[in-house]
């Protein structure tokens, strides 16, 4: 992926050097362990010390700094792509989100969260939250390394921001609370697959505008999409995949919708809610 030496975004808030603001307690630790077990991730390094307050600055490594620069460039690309695309295709003005880099645990308008939960978007403060150690974990434990695989993760979370701006995310969150679990899971799957499709739209337009992609970059993104499929995650955790429990879609579905966005570059092709998924 061609990213070095390019403009970075000013909408990055780096909290990685701040240390943890405080412990998350026994209940929070149990939640982290449960999430880690479900995703097949060894979260013991994250859990150690979570019950204690930690203050003071944490020195960032050269690797940390490089990831920070990378994230800033990718976020800038999403800003430059979605500003015209959202206006042209949906008649809406794009509002830049803020991306928060953190380590360990973080507080957001959506509550406290741990690195073990992976990257997430909070509509309450229009921020994407990301621990860059997740990218190393993707490479080392999920077989989904590479800079464009990491860019796909960022673009997916920005896709949720686009959903927030179009009103889809608010409608989904309001509806899920009144639905039976199986139906609520299907709505969640449609929501996640649409964000994958939007990530594909970003990749298509970024390639056309900036010449971002190197040979093999799409393969990296496709491996990452498959690796975070519910069926793959459950199987890697030693569980038999249960489709009714899926909340993000299978690996094949995630790949399909990522490529649908990339091939079309058109938001109208990302109607996961009307595509027979529900």
């Amino acid at each position: 992926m061609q990213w070095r030496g390019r403009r970075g975004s000013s909408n990055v808030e780096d909290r990685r050097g701040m240390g943890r603001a405080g412990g998350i307690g026994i209940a929070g630790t149990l939640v982290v362990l449960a999430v880690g077990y479900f995703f097949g991730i060894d979260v013991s390094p994250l859990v150690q010390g979570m019950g204690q307050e930690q203050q003071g600055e944490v020195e960032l490594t050269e690797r940390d700094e490089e990831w920070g620069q990378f994230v800033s460039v990718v976020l800038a690309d999403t800003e430059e792509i979605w500003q015209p695309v959202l206006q042209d295709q949906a008649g809406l003005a794009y509002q830049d989100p803020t991306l928060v880099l953190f380590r360990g645990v973080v507080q957001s308008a959506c509550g406290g969260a741990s690195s073990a939960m992976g990257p997430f978007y909070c509509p309450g403060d229009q921020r994407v939250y990301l621990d860059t150690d997740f990218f190393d974990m993707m490479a080392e434990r999920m077989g989904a390394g590479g800079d464009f695989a990491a860019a796909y993760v960022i673009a997916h979370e920005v896709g949720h921001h686009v959903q927030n701006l179009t009103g889809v995310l608010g409608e989904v969150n309001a509806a899920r609370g009144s639905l039976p679990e199986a139906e609520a899971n299907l709505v969640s799957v449609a929501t996640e697959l649409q964000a994958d499709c939007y990530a594909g739209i970003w990749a298509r337009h970024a390639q056309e505008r900036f010449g971002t992609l190197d040979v093999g970059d799409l393969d990296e993104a496709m491996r990452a999409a498959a690796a975070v499929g519910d069926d793959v995650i459950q199987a890697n955790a030693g569980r038999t995949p249960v489709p009714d429990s899926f909340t993000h879609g299978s690996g094949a579905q995630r790949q399909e919708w990522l490529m649908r966005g990339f091939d079309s570059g058109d938001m109208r092709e990302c109607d996961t809610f009307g595509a027979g998924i529900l």
Side-chain angles (χ1 to χ4, degrees), residues 7-10 12 67-77 154:
R7 182 186 78 86
S9 173
S10 61
V12 176
W67 273 129
Q69 294 168 11
F70 171 81
V71 166
S72 179
V73 171
V74 173
L75 186 64
D77 280 3
I154 298 168

Side-chain angles (χ1 to χ4, degrees), residues 218-243:
L218 270 183
D219 290 337
E220 289 180 3
M222 289 287 276
R223 284 195 295 271
V228 292
D230 287 316
D231 53 340
V232 177
I233 290 172
Q234 291 182 6
N236 287 342
R239 302 171 56 191
T240 300
V242 181

Side-chain angles (χ1 to χ4, degrees), residues 133-151:
D133 286 348
F134 181 76
F135 297 144
D136 294 325
M137 186 206 68
M138 286 175 60
E140 296 167 5
R141 307 184 193 182
M142 302 171 75
D147 49 11
F148 201 71

